[in-house]
Each structure stands twice: as structure tokens, then as C-alpha cells.
Amino acid sequence: MAADSSSPARTVPVLVPTPSERPYTYAVSAGVTVRPGSIVQVPLGPRLVPGIVWDAPEGGADEVDPKKLRPIEQAFDCPPVPAGMRRFIDWVARYTLSAPGMVARMVLRAPAAFDPEPPTPGLRITDGRPQRMTAARERVLELAEDGLAWTRSGLAHAAGVSLSVVDGLVKAGSFETIDLPPQPVVAAPDPEFGEGELSPDQQSAADDLRAVVEKGGFSATLLEGVTGSGKTEVYFEAVAAALDKGRQVLVLLPEIALTHAFLERFHARFGAPPAEWHSDLAPKTRERVWRQAADGRVRVVAGARSALFLPFCDLGLIVVDEEHDPAYKQEDRVFYNARDMAVVRAHLGGFPIVLASATPSVETRHNAEAGRYRHVTLDRRFAEAALPDLRAIDMRRTPPARGKFLSPPLQAEIGKTLERGEQALLFLNRRGYAPLTLCRVCGHRFECPDCSSWLVEHRFRGQLMCHHCGHHEPVPEACPQCGTLDHLVACGPGIERIAEEVVGRFPDARAIVLSSDMMGGVKRLRLELEAIAEGQADIVIGTQLVAKGHNFPNLTLVGVVDADLGLASGDPRAAERTFQLLSQVTGRAGRTGKKSLGLIQTYQPEHPAMKAIVTGDGEAFYASQIAERERGQLPPFGRLAAVIVSANTRAEAEAYGRALRAAAPPAGDIMVLGPAEAPLALIRGRHRFRLLVHGTERADLQTYLRRTIAAAPKPRGSVRVSLDIDPQSFL
DNA sequence: AGCACGCCGACT
DNA sequence: GTCGGCGTGCTC
């Protein structure tokens, strides 16, 4: 049907970054060309915002009051968001019960990337020669004499001179400035560059993955192999296969800012690093990566979970490394698990996905066992040499001295390790000096004024700090309640306190503390890690972050100070988490074939997670965990959603929680539990209550929650409701 | 989500 | 008398 030329301005739906359930409608002025996926700038209230032209709804476009209709301000000259990505945005919005615009907002978070990249300023040699010639100037001119264009810094670097030499030659008229085409943010990876020898076991796994990629189409594969079995090299072959097909690849990593080692291995295999994508990217780089993922110049992105929302033009493979890692779960604004959404992305895009882990999540293991995912296993035997000898230390039998935290057997092994000139790592997942400080006289406990949590003493900084908000205060000399001087007592250990104990016990050893709150940030941390790898420390005391993929070749002892820490919550997922974390951290030892040892201090050596670690029998552990989940109808045998109600007062939050509960319609396959005070009942001055919606495997939680919210009264005052489908915590 | 509008407390 | 707190409502 021909368009009526006399009709009013053409309109299109545009997804804008608001919580609106539907796209808004905008007029398209003459001369503006847009199609679904086009990124546009539109007026929204008093400001201009980016938006994505959406697909016309099936039932025809929405009727909009013509008085409200405003025109698209400009269509950006950039590749449109592909249809597969648009379907993905819709899918994520529906699944997570977020507004599509808020999901689109995650795609559009590279503000300046929508305009074409400006040309790179370049230099080309001219006939002019400077009056004064110097050795440095000669080197520069010699390099450039073939007439090819150079960047200013590239030329200076190649000639081994400072920028001022180049600038001087420009001033002298020996170079003219020209426009170079925008530079790629990384060089193209070469699939054949560093093809190396794989073990027979790796080779057959790699062949399998290659075949899957070559065949194309959707498939999900769990690549399971213990630490040291060479999973990364195996999935690199899948990456190579996708590159051979000319497709783009996304490798998701948990907390990429710290995975320097991965980038180096990638570089060694492909002759160029992947493009990085994470929150502390420089804005300029961020912009270029976004743009070049969209136009296809970037072939491989290694990124944190938000990389899932990059507008790749031809994505053909996703790898999720350490697929079990809790860092994949985003818990603000849009609540999503990047691992699960990655599977959806692959499904919608019709391409394969590989989930890699030494200790898969119970959900993924179950999917593999049920045949929904393919299962490729790297044989444990080939990694045997790289595995430490693991033992539990029963803290009831060999307790540490009073006020100390290292048991005699662990101390003895540290001593032996030092004597051999090797390194020891002590792992404790708790920052600071002590998690609780109290007054010995009156019993006063230091609490955060805005959160329901103890203040953690950080002796190094002389502060009491809240780990849930920014609150911190100097450690006082007198108790604020009873005024008694010098009677504050630290309860329990943090890594600073372990460091103190280590220094007292091994005064000649070089000890170093590594934790995420270290001053100096990521850069400093990386330097510290390199220093450790080079052997500039004897004992490393670290939190969580030492568990992640760093290789310290001389490390032969790992001591877990408090293996029971993660089990305290009583969450059904705690055992699994403990198993995963302890596997990862003990795997830091012995990556070079030296005999190595992992010692696990625990008060419950009979716990299935401890037994699984010590015996290396993950199979029995997974079987027991899966059985337990099945019994409780917990994921993946049932479905869970959490509803978090927060408000400025406890009463408001609780009242609205009750109102929601009352509004929840009866359903045969869904149960509502709560409201109960959330695990952290007060965060940043906001009181929180939680409802848990528990359904059968087939239950439609989304529709149920939609109905419940619609039936409940509108939240008033400071009350906010957020929905978390598939929450991390089952409590 | 942002942003403006609007109505009540302490100060240039 | 104003500046500024954040509750309420709206954005095609």
C-alpha cells in the first residue's frame, strides 16, 4: 500500500532511556532517514537524549496526541543496532521485568560514539628540510622518507626521539599534517599466529569446539576442566575458528580490570590483544571500542558483563570464562545474570556459546547433564602435575594460639616453604584488620550509622569503615559510650591482622597484603602482582582477588585461613560457592610442576564442600548439590524471584511489603514468602524488606509478578520496589 | 532515569 | 525576605 503523501509527518517508535514500558513515538522530518535500529537524538522533556528507532509494533503504531509529538532531532551517522540485538533488548527487558528503554540505555552508554570517529591527525614528509640538522632529526626524516604517513607519537616512538623533535620538524616545515583514517583500537587478531602444541586431551576438546563453530547455528557447550588443564588454550581454538569464518567474538570475563594475564595469553596466541571493555576504560577508548564493535573493525572483545550489550555487527561466538563466577550477576537497575543472558544472546543470534569453568555452577552442570548443553571435559590426568596436594586442617584438633588465627600445622608448612625459598599465599576473604570492634568495659559495638553492619577496623588507615557504604571514621581512643580509654578490642581476623601475625611469626619474610581496597587502585595492584610473580615477596596475604587467574610460578603453598566464612549465611548456595572459591584459590599453587600444597583451616572438615575440595571428587559433590536442589525445588528445578522493597523508614518498607504480599493472587504453582527483613536490613540509610517468589520449573514468574505489582497500591513516599529474577541468594 | 515544579525550614 | 531540601509527576 502506497503511503499517503498528504498524511501528517511520518512517525516511528523510538526507545528512549526512561522506565517507560513502551517506545515513544517521534516524527521524522523531511530529509531525515531512519530505519529500525538507527540511533537518533530526540528531545525528551527539557533535554536531548539518544534513542534507538524501534520496530513497528504488530498491531500498528501507538496513537499519540499530536500536540505531544516532537521530531527526531538528528539521526547519527553510525551503524544501526542489528535486529538480533534489538530482539535481545526486548528479551532481556521481558525476562528481568525491566523497561526496554532501561535495557537500551545499557547499549547506548558510550555517549560520544555515535558520531563518526574523527580522522587521526597524521604527518607526511615534505621537501622542506630544517636549517639546523641534528642526529635525532635525521633519524626521524630517514624513517619517513618513503612518503608514508605517520602519527606524531608513532613516529617519535619509532625513531626513538621525544615528541618535541617531531614537533620541531613540523614547525620547520619538513612535515605536513594530513588526515589519517581513524585508527583501529587494536590490531586484527591472526587466527594462525601462535598455534601451539596442545595435549591430546586439549586437542580433542579443541577439535570438538572448532567443529561446533564451523557448523554454526546455536549450541551451548560447557567446557569443564580443572585448574591447569588448559581450558583457555582450548577455547582459543573456538575463537580462531570463529575468526576464520570472519565472525566477531566476545569473551566474557569476571572483573576484567584484573585479568592482565588473560590479555597476554591472548596476545601470544593471536598476535594482538583483544579489545577490552569494562567500567574503568578511558572514555576515549571506550568510545572507539563501541564504535568499532559496531562497524566490525574490532574482531574480538574481552569484557566484563556489560560487554554483552555492545552492538556487535556480526557476533558469531561468545565464550563465558569462569561461568560460575558471581560477578556475572548485576544487581542494580536492571538485575541480570550475564552468563544466562549470554546464552540467550547466542540463541537469538543463532551462534554457539562456550561456558568454561573448573567448577561450573550447579545450574550449568544440570543443563549439561540433562543434555541441554553439550559437555566437553578436559581429562583431569593431564592436569595432575599442576594440582596441589590438598588437606584440611581441623581447627578443633589443632587450634591456633589464643588471639591468633594460624594453626600450628599451617605455620609449620609456611616455615618449610620459606626455607625452600618458595612462596606462600594466605587467603582470607575479609578486608581490613578486624570485622568487629567492641569496648571491653561496656560492650559497645561500632556500627555503621547508615547500614546494619559492623564497622571494620582498617588499622593501616586508622579508620573504622563500613563495607556497604562510604562511611568511615577515625578509630577513637576512648569508647564513645562509656568514655573508657584504651579498652577497645578487635574481634575476629581480617587480612591486615593475619599480616600482623605473619610478621610476628616470620619476621624475616617479606610479606605483602593484597586487597581490592588497596590505595593506588588497579594500576598499583597490577604492579604488586608482577612484583610477586618475580619473586619479590615470600608471603602473600590476600582477599578474593588473589583467587583470580594470576600465576605466581614460585608459589607452592596456599593456606585458607577461614574456609568456613562463606558457609555462615546458611544459604543453600553457600556450599557451592565455597567449593568454587576454594578450588580457585588452592589452584594458585603449583602451576609450574613443583610439588605444592593447599591447607584449608576449617572447623567443619566433614562439610561436603571441604570433603570435595580435599578429595578432588567434584562429581559426588555436584551430585549431592543437585539432589539437594531438586528436593527443595530450588533452581534449576524450580524458579525464584526476589522482590526488594526499600524505604526511608523500616515501617514504610515493611508495610509496603505486606501490601504486595496481600496483592499477590493465589496460584497453584507459585508461592510467595515474606516479607522478611532483607539480609542487610539497612543499607545507606534505606530499610529493606524482601519477598521471595518461589515457583515450579514451569511457572511463569514474570506474568505473576506483573499482576501482583499491578494489583498492589502505588508505592508512596520513599518506597521503591526492585525485582530480581533468579537472585543469587536463595534465602 | 533525569529533570522541573512546588511547597516548607535556616540564612547570605 | 531568599536559598535549598526532597516529594510528585512527566517525558512521545
Side-chain angles (χ1 to χ4, degrees):
Chain A
M1 185 169 56
D4 181 358
S5 60
S6 69
S7 67
R10 190 166 76 93
T11 63
V12 288
V14 176
L15 213 48
V16 285
T18 72
S20 160
E21 282 303 311
R22 337 199 82 267
Y24 285 170
T25 306
Y26 283 87
V28 184
S29 317
V32 175
T33 318
V34 294
R35 55 184 165 122
S38 296
I39 297 182
V40 293
Q41 180 122 59
V42 292
L44 182 70
R47 66 212 164 108
L48 288 174
V49 295
I52 307 172
V53 174
W54 219 239
D55 305 77
E58 272 172 36
D62 287 3
E63 285 297 315
V64 174
D65 180 353
K67 284 198 282 296
K68 284 188 172 180
L69 192 66
R70 297 168 79 182
I72 289 173
E73 176 86 10
Q74 108 172 258
F76 287 105
D77 179 12
C78 84
V81 176
M85 193 64 196
R86 302 201 298 275
R87 298 294 73 77
F88 181 57
I89 293 170
D90 278 333
W91 201 98
V92 172
R94 280 206 355 241
Y95 188 83
T96 62
L97 291 167
S98 340
M102 297 312 286
V103 181
R105 187 172 167 274
M106 301 196 285
V107 178
L108 297 173
R109 249 185 296 171
F114 313 137
D115 283 314
E117 270 180 74
T120 311
L123 299 174
R124 190 165 52 204
I125 200 161
T126 62
D127 295 334
R129 285 293 170 274
Q131 299 185 336
R132 299 263 304 267
M133 187 56 84
T134 65
R137 286 182 165 188
E138 253 171 43
R139 282 208 298 282
V140 172
L141 290 169
E142 201 175 308
L143 267 173
E145 74 186 346
D146 56 7
L148 293 178
W150 289 79
T151 62
R152 178 170 159 270
S153 63
L155 185 55
H157 196 255
V161 302
S162 77
L163 284 169
S164 61
V165 175
V166 176
D167 290 344
L169 285 168
V170 173
K171 220 179 202 167
S174 296
F175 283 94
E176 58 180 343
T177 53
I178 55 167
D179 287 343
L180 294 177
Q183 302 295 297
V185 70
V186 283
D190 173 3
E192 267 126 59
F193 181 84
E195 275 178 309
E197 277 288 290
L198 296 177
S199 73
D201 198 41
Q202 284 179 310
Q203 190 63 56
S204 70
D207 291 345
D208 181 298
L209 292 185
R210 258 191 181 277
V212 161
V213 173
E214 276 156 20
K215 177 164 159 269
F218 171 75
S219 66
T221 305
L222 166 60
L223 173 61
E224 184 174 1
V226 294
T227 312
S229 59
K231 284 185 298 296
T232 311
E233 286 71 25
V234 170
Y235 73 63
F236 277 172
E237 295 315 299
V239 173
L243 291 174
D244 283 336
K245 286 184 84 174
R247 308 292 300 272
Q248 290 172 297
V249 179
L250 169 62
V251 181
L252 288 178
L253 303 166
E255 297 165 44
I256 189 174
L258 297 170
T259 53
H260 192 60
F262 171 86
L263 301 176
E264 285 179 347
R265 284 164 86 181
F266 188 96
H267 196 156
R269 172 61 183 83
F270 294 102
E276 286 179 67
W277 182 263
H278 51 83
S279 54
D280 10 273
L281 224 52
K284 191 82 189 161
T285 315
R286 180 178 198 77
E287 192 187 302
R288 294 174 70 204
V289 172
W290 192 96
R291 179 79 193 194
Q292 296 183 16
D295 68 25
R297 273 182 297 164
V298 158
R299 306 312 298 166
V300 182
V301 172
R305 57 177 186 248
S306 61
L308 197 51
F309 294 95
L310 281 170
F312 293 99
C313 59
D314 188 27
L315 191 57
L317 173 69
I318 300 178
V319 177
V320 184
D321 201 0
E322 308 290 3
E323 68 85 26
H324 63 277
D325 200 295
Y328 285 121
K329 178 75 191 222
Q330 168 147 77
E331 286 179 340
D332 57 76
R333 296 185 167 115
V334 180
F335 288 58
Y336 68 94
N337 186 320
R339 179 243 298 154
D340 298 338
M341 295 306 108
V343 174
V344 172
R345 178 91 172 78
H347 188 85
L348 292 173
F351 56 78
I353 180 165
V354 176
L355 307 176
S357 177
T359 53
S361 63
V362 165
E363 283 84 348
T364 298
R365 266 300 286 250
H366 177 253
N367 279 329
E369 283 169 19
R372 276 192 287 276
Y373 293 174
R374 306 171 67 261
H375 196 175
V376 175
T377 316
L378 289 170
D379 198 311
R380 168 175 193 94
R381 281 176 302 140
F382 290 94
E384 214 62 56
L387 291 176
D389 186 13
L390 295 170
R391 296 209 290 267
I393 296 178
D394 187 339
M395 297 291 271
R396 295 164 306 187
R397 286 164 178 272
T398 55
R402 201 177 154 73
K404 304 284 187 206
F405 303 94
L406 304 179
S407 63
L410 179 54
Q411 290 189 30
E413 288 300 336
I414 295 171
K416 287 188 210 165
T417 306
L418 296 178
E419 275 167 32
R420 290 195 304 268
E422 294 167 353
Q423 289 172 311
L425 168 68
L426 297 178
F427 169 75
L428 176 63
N429 207 4
R430 202 189 252 150
R431 287 145 54 204
Y433 184 83
L436 168 64
T437 305
L438 52 81
C439 169
R440 210 190 310 247
V441 175
C442 72
H444 173 75
R445 295 167 167 222
F446 286 86
E447 264 179 280
C448 176
D450 301 323
C451 304
S452 46
S453 64
W454 307 129
L455 291 179
V456 180
E457 181 182 357
H458 285 238
R459 205 161 272 195
F460 182 62
R461 300 189 192 198
Q463 298 273 320
L464 292 169
M465 305 181 67
C466 174
H467 284 179
H468 302 284
C469 69
H471 179 85
H472 57 99
E473 52 189 74
V475 182
E477 284 168 23
C479 170
Q481 191 165 292
C482 67
T484 315
L485 280 170
D486 297 327
H487 272 74
L488 300 181
V489 53
C491 297
I495 52 167
E496 289 183 14
R497 195 169 190 182
I498 299 304
E500 183 183 274
E501 187 174 339
V502 162
V503 170
R505 180 73 180 72
F506 304 99
D508 298 328
R510 296 164 301 171
I512 189 168
V513 174
L514 285 185
S515 101
S516 56
D517 59 347
M518 252 180 37
M519 359 256 270
V522 173
K523 218 166 142 194
R524 159 90 186 279
L525 193 60
R526 193 147 79 202
L527 291 175
E528 299 275 19
L529 291 169
E530 278 168 25
I532 295 165
E534 286 163 17
Q536 295 175 33
D538 303 311
I539 305 178
V540 182
I541 300 121
T543 58
Q544 177 109 329
L545 67 92
V546 297
K548 301 228 189 272
H550 310 290
N551 278 345
F552 305 126
N554 200 32
L555 183 74
T556 57
L557 174 67
V558 171
V560 177
V561 176
D562 183 358
D564 309 330
L565 193 56
L567 297 171
S569 72
D571 190 283
R573 201 170 233 150
E576 178 191 346
R577 289 259 183 277
T578 296
F579 173 69
Q580 288 160 343
L581 189 56
L582 297 191
S583 298
Q584 208 163 41
V585 71
T586 52
R588 293 306 104 214
R591 302 294 302 268
T592 49
K594 278 184 194 154
K595 186 169 155 36
S596 61
L597 181 62
L599 292 177
I600 293 152
Q601 296 196 144
T602 173
Y603 285 92
Q604 34 188 332
E606 281 77 42
H607 192 283
M610 306 304 162
K611 284 175 110 169
I613 289 286
V614 172
T615 60
D617 187 0
E619 292 308 310
F621 178 71
Y622 278 113
S624 74
Q625 290 300 304
I626 290 173
E628 197 174 302
R629 297 275 188 97
E630 190 161 19
R631 225 176 303 126
Q633 290 290 290
L634 290 167
F637 300 96
R639 304 196 55 207
L640 283 180
V643 182
I644 298 120
V645 181
S646 66
N648 288 344
T649 66
R650 191 181 181 281
E652 274 182 292
E654 182 168 23
Y656 192 75
R658 286 186 198 285
L660 267 179
R661 168 77 188 259
D669 55 354
I670 296 173
M671 234 168 42
V672 180
L673 305 153
E677 216 154 36
L680 263 159
L682 180 63
I683 297 185
R684 294 170 186 273
R686 292 191 57 87
H687 296 261
R688 307 176 338 133
F689 275 77
R690 207 171 116 106
L691 293 118
L692 202 59
V693 180
H694 185 183
T696 62
E697 201 178 343
R698 309 291 301 275
D700 183 353
L701 290 191
Q702 280 84 353
T703 301
Y704 185 80
L705 282 165
R706 247 182 240 287
R707 284 208 194 115
T708 303
I709 303 260
K714 258 183 80 179
R716 302 232 121 247
S718 64
V719 175
R720 299 282 176 279
V721 176
S722 46
L723 301 173
D724 183 0
I725 306 286
D726 306 332
Q728 290 292 108
S729 157
F730 293 168
L731 284 179

